Each structure stands twice: as structure tokens, then as C-alpha cells.
């Protein structure tokens, strides 16, 4: 806010204090971004030498902390500072490295999302298989009940034949309904399997085949 109000000196003082506090607390990421912001303030004030020094400090912290996003921000800031000082060659080199890091970060994010999506489809497929097994068990239980009823009815005689017919009709309708459910679940499982197979063989961003294909 102070920077937007033109109070650059006070803003610079606060950012320097933030940098010292984060450095003292071992907060490398926050110290890196404080150095980036300080470099930006100095660049806006025309202090290109100091701006470059703080950008290089931000880059040193980012590389030491092993944080690619912070390194990408620090290299982009350093490139701007170098360009302000007319160090065009090195500015171009730093900007190229920053864009390379940005590309790597984006690829890692896409890979993570693809892995999450694959895990989701696997979980859905596993749930569908469990539901199919449960339906198979229910059908087997119905068939067992029907068989028990049939044998009992044979022993009961002519009067029990009507009851047997009723049980057979109920069992048949239940089996028809269960078969319809199984067919629908099989179709859904096949569609999920096809989607997962396609996902595993193609790149999620471009739709082109990947090394698994």
C-alpha cells in the first residue's frame, strides 16, 4: 500500500525489516519473496545496482532452498533488473531459465493432476466391482432360497404346488431385475475402464499419445 501511495522509502524500510525477520527465523521462502519485492521497489526507484543485488540474493535463497517456484520468480526479477541496467545478454539468459523452470513446474502440476484423476477412476472402478460382487451374492442367495422352496414344496404335495409357483415367479422377476442391474453396471464399468485406459495412454493437456502408448 505504501508503494502505491508513492512512499517508496518507508515501503523499502518495511520490506527490509521483513527480510531480516524471515532470514532470522529461517523462513527461506518468505525471505526470498521479500528480497524479490525489495528488488522491485529499488528498480522502480532507479537504483538498478541495488535492485540487481537483491534479485541475486533472492535467487541465492531460492536455489539454496530447492524451491523451483521461488527460483522462477527470482530469475524473472533478476532478468528485469538486468534489463534495466542494460545487461541484455544476461537478462535474456536469466529470462530463458525462468521460462524453463515455469515449463517444468507446469509439467509437474499436469502430471500430478493426471495421477489424481487416475486414482479417482481406479477408486470408482473398485467401487463398481464391489457392487457387482454384492449383487452376485444377492442373486445366489435368491437362487438358493428358490431351490430350498422348491424342494420343500415337492414334499408338501399338491396343495403346496401353488406356493412353489409363486416363489418361482418372484424369483424369476428378481433375477430379471438383477440381470438388468448387472448389465447396466457392466456397461458403466466398461466405460470407466475405457476412459482410464485412454487416460493412461494419452497426454491430458494435448491429447497426444504418451510413452505408455
Amino acid at each position: 500500500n505504501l508503494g502505491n501511495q508513492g512512499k517508496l522509502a518507508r515501503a523499502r524500510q518495511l520490506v527490509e525489516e521483513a527480510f531480516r525477520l524471515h532470514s532470522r527465523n529461517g523462513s527461506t521462502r518468505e525471505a526470498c519473496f521479500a528480497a524479490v519485492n525489495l528488488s522491485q521497489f529499488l528498480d522502480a526507484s532507479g537504483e538498478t545496482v541495488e535492485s540487481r543485488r537483491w534479485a541475486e540474493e533472492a535467487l541465492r535463497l531460492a536455489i539454496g532452498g530447492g524451491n523451483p517456484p521461488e527460483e522462477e520468480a527470482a530469475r524473472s526479477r533478476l532478468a528485469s533488473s538486468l534489463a534495466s541496467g542494460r545487461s541484455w545478454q544476461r537478462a535474456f539468459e536469466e529470462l530463458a531459465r525462468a521460462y524453463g523452470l515455469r515449463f517444468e513446474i507446469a509439467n509437474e502440476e499436469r502430471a500430478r493432476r493426471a495421477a489424481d484423476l487416475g486414482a479417482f477412476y481406479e477408486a470408482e472402478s473398485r467401487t463398481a466391482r464391489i457392487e457387482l460382487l454384492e449383487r452376485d451374492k444377492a442373486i445366489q442367495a435368491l437362487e438358493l432360497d428358490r431351490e430350498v422352496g422348491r424342494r420343500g414344496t415337492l414334499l408338501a404335495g399338491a396343495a403346496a404346488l401353488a406356493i412353489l409357483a409363486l416363489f418361482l415367479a418372484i424369483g424369476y422377476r428378481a433375477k430379471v431385475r438383477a440381470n438388468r442391474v448387472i448389465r447396466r453396471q457392466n456397461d458403466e464399468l466398461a466405460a470407466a475402464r475405457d476412459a482410464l485406459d485412454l487416460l493412461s495412454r494419452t497426454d491430458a493437456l494435448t491429447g497426444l499419445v504418451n510413452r505408455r502408448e
Side-chain angles (χ1 to χ4, degrees):
N1 290 335
L2 290 172
N4 292 333
Q5 296 170 13
K7 301 177 181 179
L8 296 179
R10 179 55 178 161
R12 173 180 176 178
Q13 180 183 359
L14 291 175
V15 176
E16 286 178 342
E17 290 177 4
F19 174 79
R20 286 192 293 270
L21 286 172
H22 290 314
S23 297
R24 189 180 308 126
N25 294 332
S27 303
T28 305
R29 180 176 183 273
E30 287 74 12
C32 174
F33 281 121
V36 167
N37 290 332
L38 189 54
S39 172
Q40 189 171 358
F41 277 124
L42 292 165
D43 213 356
S45 301
E47 301 181 49
T48 56
V49 175
E50 279 294 294
S51 172
R52 174 178 171 179
R53 185 176 71 82
W54 280 104
E56 289 175 340
E57 176 65 15
L59 180 58
R60 183 188 68 80
L61 290 170
I63 293 175
N67 298 314
E70 287 77 6
E71 183 180 349
E72 186 269 333
R75 288 192 184 278
S76 295
R77 175 87 285 278
L78 180 57
S80 297
S81 181
L82 289 166
S84 297
R86 298 182 180 278
S87 298
W88 307 115
Q89 180 61 33
R90 192 179 169 198
F92 175 79
E93 292 172 356
E94 293 298 337
L95 191 61
R97 291 175 183 172
Y99 275 106
L101 284 169
R102 187 176 301 176
F103 181 75
E104 291 176 6
I105 293 168
N107 278 344
E108 290 177 0
E109 179 65 17
R110 285 193 293 269
R112 184 189 63 78
R113 290 180 181 177
D116 290 344
L117 186 59
F120 170 77
Y121 276 115
E122 177 61 26
E124 289 294 312
S125 298
R126 189 180 300 111
T127 300
R129 288 194 296 270
I130 292 173
E131 291 177 352
L132 285 174
L133 289 174
E134 291 175 349
R135 283 171 172 76
D136 286 342
K137 290 180 180 179
I139 292 172
Q140 291 173 4
L142 286 173
E143 291 178 345
L144 179 60
D145 289 343
R146 185 184 65 182
E147 182 65 18
V148 170
R150 187 182 67 82
R151 291 181 181 181
T153 304
L154 288 174
L155 296 174
L161 288 177
I163 298 175
L164 175 61
L166 179 61
F167 273 106
L168 288 173
I170 292 173
Y172 177 77
R173 287 196 297 271
K175 186 173 182 180
V176 169
R177 288 196 299 270
N179 284 335
R180 284 199 297 265
V181 171
I182 289 173
R183 283 194 297 270
R184 186 174 66 253
Q185 290 295 325
N186 282 337
D187 292 341
E188 293 173 358
L189 181 58
R193 184 178 63 247
D194 292 341
L196 181 57
D197 179 64
L198 179 62
L199 180 65
S200 70
R201 294 184 290 102
T202 58
D203 183 84
L205 178 63
T206 63
L208 300 176
V209 296
N210 57 22
R211 61 181 181 181
R212 294 188 184 90
E213 173 67 12

